[in-house]
Amino acid sequence: MRLCAFADEASPFVEGQIKALKRNGLDALEERGVNEKNISKLTLAEAKELRSMLDAEGLSVWSIGSPIGKYKLEDDFQPHLDSLKHILEIADILDASRIRMFSFWKPAEEPVEVTRERVFERLYKMCEVTPSNIVLCHENEKNIFGENIENCLAIYKQFPTIKGVFDP
């Protein structure tokens, strides 16, 4: 078993994150917050700098803790897909083989069948742009399509390449 951590919960700054990981005997992290900004907002140059800092300390990135899938289904999907493509580039630089993602905030009054169709359309496009060496890991969360067991199961049956992250 390998333990990893969201190091940004120890410090918003990389130096503090490294210290916390070392202090706790961990050698891998799920990178989400870097120097007070979300991983998705890093430039590629900043991602390379982060990789150098982690390499120097013998640390690796197990997964990217992305905000992908945390947006309304009514919003334009293309900017979100472009953000995923950028996160995929960051994952490549950091040698991270997993990206945590979500299944979109659902409209309150929309029938689940309609929501499912819209969510699956977006998940299909996300899977389409994700290379085979990267695993999308869906996390359940309140008020998103995949907040309950039935909808999570529907995602995993329809998209066998998407794996699950259970948040109790």
Side-chain angles (χ1 to χ4, degrees), residues 105-137:
W105 291 312
K106 57 187 181 178
E109 301 299 322
E110 187 173 82
V112 69
E113 298 80 20
V114 175
T115 301
R116 181 184 308 114
E117 184 178 316
R118 294 171 65 198
V119 166
F120 282 11
E121 178 183 308
R122 284 158 177 77
L123 292 178
Y124 175 77
K125 290 176 183 176
M126 290 167 56
C127 288
E128 199 172 49
V129 301
T130 302
S132 61
N133 64 324
I134 304 265
V135 177
L136 295 176
C137 300

Side-chain angles (χ1 to χ4, degrees), residues 16-28:
Q17 293 174 16
I18 290 170
K19 286 178 186 174
L21 289 165
K22 296 289 207 171
R23 184 174 55 249
N24 289 285
L26 300 175
D27 66 354

Side-chain angles (χ1 to χ4, degrees), residues 85-123:
K85 291 174 184 177
H86 179 69
I87 291 168
L88 290 166
E89 290 179 296
I90 291 170
D92 184 56
I93 290 167
L94 298 177
D95 199 28
S97 60
R98 295 161 196 86
I99 296 175
R100 187 180 291 236
M101 44 75 73
F102 302 86
S103 56
F104 317 104
W105 291 312
K106 57 187 181 178
E109 301 299 322
E110 187 173 82
V112 69
E113 298 80 20
V114 175
T115 301
R116 181 184 308 114
E117 184 178 316
R118 294 171 65 198
V119 166
F120 282 11
E121 178 183 308
R122 284 158 177 77
L123 292 178

Side-chain angles (χ1 to χ4, degrees), residues 4-24 26 28-35 50 54 59-60 63:
C4 304
F6 275 126
D8 63 348
E9 292 186 2
S11 173
F13 300 100
V14 174
E15 293 82 3
Q17 293 174 16
I18 290 170
K19 286 178 186 174
L21 289 165
K22 296 289 207 171
R23 184 174 55 249
N24 289 285
L26 300 175
L29 69 149
E30 189 159 0
E31 193 61 86
R32 179 178 57 192
V34 180
N35 297 330
L50 173 62
L54 296 174
L59 299 171
S60 63
S63 177

Side-chain angles (χ1 to χ4, degrees), residues 9 36 44 46-47 50 57 72 75 82 101 135 155 167:
E9 292 186 2
E36 298 188 304
L44 299 183
E46 289 170 326
L50 173 62
E57 297 294 334
K72 295 177 183 176
D75 292 346
D82 292 341
M101 44 75 73
V135 177
I155 290 169
D167 185 347

